[in-house]
């Protein structure tokens, strides 16, 4: 798994890298927000950690941009007063805010929570894609059934059986058979 660390000082970078390496992440380190944005263009990350107070910007906008661009969760670490200001906006895009000072165990726990949430989001996304594909299949099949009923006078049951039989005989998916039927009969 890959992690993007964005921190302005070498000391912060090393401290965050140690924790993430312990959690089995391969780390890419960026010193500025601009450098972090370039890194995201070249590589996918599983998690990001931003230690606020970067040389070119505070870091909260970067956190929002990263969360929206790759559907990944991350951590935003800032002073207590500012972390409260941004926690609602960041939380709405899947970024957990932590207030400094933070303990090593607190950071490890936060990384673990974000990792678990990312796994769950990926799983739900895959399920959603699967369901969308099935829905698309159903649309084509229904359209093909209507084309058969209009053109050949089949009933809905006959149209369904025709598509299923043809798919088995031709060793094609029902969607492909339906698309062929649509091309044939809706082109008339």
């Amino acid at each position: 798994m890959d992690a993007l660390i964005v921190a302005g000082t070498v000391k912060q970078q090393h401290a965050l890298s140690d924790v993430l390496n312990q959690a089995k992440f391969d780390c890419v380190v960026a010193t500025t927000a601009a450098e972090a944005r370039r890194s995201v263009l070249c590589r996918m990350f599983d998690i990001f950690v931003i230690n606020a107070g970067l040389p070119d910007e505070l870091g909260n906008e970067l956190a929002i941009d990263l969360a929206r661009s790759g559907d990944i969760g991350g951590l935003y670490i800032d002073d207590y007063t500012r972390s409260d200001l941004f926690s609602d906006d960041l939380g709405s895009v899947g970024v957990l805010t932590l207030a400094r000072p933070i303990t090593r165990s607190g950071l490890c726990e936060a990384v673990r929570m974000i990792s678990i949430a990312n796994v769950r989001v990926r799983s739900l996304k895959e399920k959603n894609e699967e369901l969308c594909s099935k829905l698309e299949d159903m649309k084509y099949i229904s359209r093909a059934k209507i084309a058969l009923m209009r053109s050949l006078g089949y009933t809905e049951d006959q149209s369904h059986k025709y598509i299923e039989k043809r798919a088995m005989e031709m060793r094609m998916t029902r969607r492909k058979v339906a698309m062929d039927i649509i091309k044939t009969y809706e082109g008339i």
Side-chain angles (χ1 to χ4, degrees):
M1 296 194 305
D2 296 328
L4 174 63
I5 296 171
V6 189
T9 67
V10 174
K11 183 179 177 185
Q12 294 167 345
Q13 293 167 358
H14 286 302
L16 294 171
S17 292
D18 287 345
V19 170
L20 289 167
N21 286 333
Q22 183 182 341
K24 307 281 192 270
F25 281 96
D26 294 323
C27 298
V28 172
V29 177
T31 307
T32 65
E35 189 179 337
R37 285 184 172 93
R38 283 192 300 274
S39 295
V40 171
L41 293 174
C42 301
R43 187 173 176 176
M44 294 289 293
F45 293 98
D46 298 299
I47 190 173
F48 64 86
V49 179
I50 299 172
N51 197 8
L54 304 172
D56 54 349
E57 68 178 72
L58 187 56
N60 61 313
E61 292 297 324
L62 172 64
I64 291 170
D65 291 346
L66 292 178
R68 286 183 178 157
S69 70
D71 290 329
I72 60 172
L75 301 173
Y76 176 77
I77 304 168
D78 203 344
D79 293 328
Y80 179 75
T81 54
R82 284 195 307 241
S83 66
D84 262 2
L85 290 174
F86 303 131
S87 65
D88 290 340
D89 291 339
L90 294 171
S92 69
V93 293
V95 178
L96 182 64
T97 56
L98 300 174
R100 284 191 292 252
I102 184 166
T103 63
R104 183 179 183 88
S105 62
L107 184 59
C108 288
E109 186 63 23
V111 166
R112 192 177 73 73
M113 287 184 342
I114 290 293
S115 297
I116 290 169
N118 285 347
V119 167
R120 183 72 178 140
V121 166
R122 256 186 247 110
S123 169
L124 291 172
K125 206 171 190 180
E126 288 171 8
K127 184 72 171 174
N128 186 42
E129 289 171 4
E130 180 185 319
L131 291 172
C132 285
S133 177
K134 286 181 180 181
L135 183 61
E136 198 68 25
D137 289 350
M138 290 171 58
K139 286 179 186 178
Y140 282 113
I141 292 166
S142 294
R143 207 166 131 196
K145 286 180 188 179
I146 291 169
L148 288 171
M149 290 186 310
R150 284 185 182 152
S151 300
L152 302 178
Y154 285 7
T155 65
E156 183 179 359
D157 192 44
Q158 288 172 324
S159 298
H160 180 77
K161 287 179 181 175
Y162 176 81
I163 292 169
E164 294 241 327
K165 184 178 178 188
R166 181 110 177 165
M168 285 193 304
E169 288 172 354
M170 304 284 293
R171 293 187 181 152
M172 297 174 14
T173 64
R174 292 184 309 152
R175 180 179 183 162
K176 176 70 174 123
V177 169
M179 291 171 74
D180 290 345
I181 291 169
I182 291 167
K183 284 180 193 172
T184 303
Y185 293 106
E186 285 187 357
I188 296 174

